[in-house]
Amino acid sequence: MNHVVPPSNGFDRIAFYTLRWVTRLCDGAGVALMAAILLLIVAAVIARDLLGLGMPWTEEVASMMAIYAIGFGSLSAWVRSEHLVVDLFSHKLSGLGKSLQYRATALISCGFFALAAWGAWIMSDMSANNKTVSLSISFSYLYYGIFFSFAGMALIAVWQTLRGPVAWLEVRDEEERPEELAQP
């Protein structure tokens, strides 16, 4: 999305910049959380092995940070359409067929994401009184990370279903641009 010319149309232009902002925010938050997990684990190992101090709470915090990092990463990947895709017959479809397939896939995905978000919300309510051992953090906060991830992907899937495929989200392969590669 960084090397694509933004659309000139009003609503598509707003969607382009909104999705680019969401992607950058999610990428930054995910990377920051992964770096924090790494630092936390290194600090726990150093404290345990070199200083003889126990840090039992690091496992709880690292688990929560990992769930949020995965949530941010999956939301970012969904915006960029970089999730794993098995393409069996799309290359044989016409333009209309590809558009219908795109919308149907987005609609089915939206249903799955909404169901998963609802499940995470229910689980956050059910586990409100369950707390971690060391820090007494409610398990609801773990489920909130899952909820926000799936709810965000469901909103994007609704937009994809209503809007259909857009040119600025399509990934162009280098095989499709031989004239650009041949020039010095």
Side-chain angles (χ1 to χ4, degrees):
M1 266 175 78
N2 291 332
H3 305 293
V4 178
V5 176
S8 59
N9 181 325
F11 184 73
D12 279 350
R13 189 172 181 85
I14 293 169
F16 174 82
Y17 284 112
T18 302
L19 291 176
R20 187 165 78 173
W21 179 79
V22 165
T23 303
R24 288 181 179 172
L25 178 71
C26 288
D27 286 345
V31 168
L33 286 168
M34 292 303 289
I37 291 169
L38 178 67
L39 290 174
L40 187 64
I41 291 172
V42 167
V45 169
I46 290 172
R48 182 186 67 230
D49 293 342
L50 296 179
L51 304 175
L53 301 173
M55 294 174 58
W57 55 269
T58 56
E59 189 174 320
E60 297 172 2
V61 174
S63 297
M64 183 179 299
M65 289 169 38
I67 288 172
Y68 279 86
I70 291 167
F72 283 122
S74 63
L75 184 58
S76 177
W78 185 255
V79 168
R80 292 186 304 229
S81 301
E82 291 182 353
H83 279 281
L84 180 64
V85 175
V86 179
D87 187 10
L88 298 176
F89 59 90
S90 294
H91 59 282
K92 295 182 181 182
L93 293 175
S94 65
L96 177 62
K98 285 181 183 178
S99 178
L100 290 175
Q101 179 194 21
Y102 179 87
R103 289 173 190 253
T105 302
L107 184 62
I108 292 168
S109 298
C110 179
F112 168 73
F113 294 147
L115 183 63
W118 176 72
W121 185 259
I122 295 298
M123 287 304 297
S124 70
D125 187 43
M126 295 295 167
S127 64
N129 295 324
N130 296 340
K131 299 187 184 302
T132 60
V133 176
S134 297
L135 296 177
S136 294
I137 299 172
S138 174
F139 280 113
S140 293
Y141 293 112
L142 298 172
Y143 289 111
Y144 291 151
I146 298 169
F147 170 76
F148 288 123
S149 173
F150 281 118
M153 289 190 292
L155 288 174
I156 293 168
V158 166
W159 175 77
Q160 290 173 337
T161 302
L162 297 175
R163 173 59 176 89
V166 291
W168 42 269
L169 278 180
E170 293 178 5
V171 178
R172 291 177 52 192
D173 292 331
E174 293 177 22
E175 298 168 357
E176 297 175 9
R177 304 177 285 155
E179 67 280 348
E180 294 178 14
L181 296 175
Q183 296 175 356

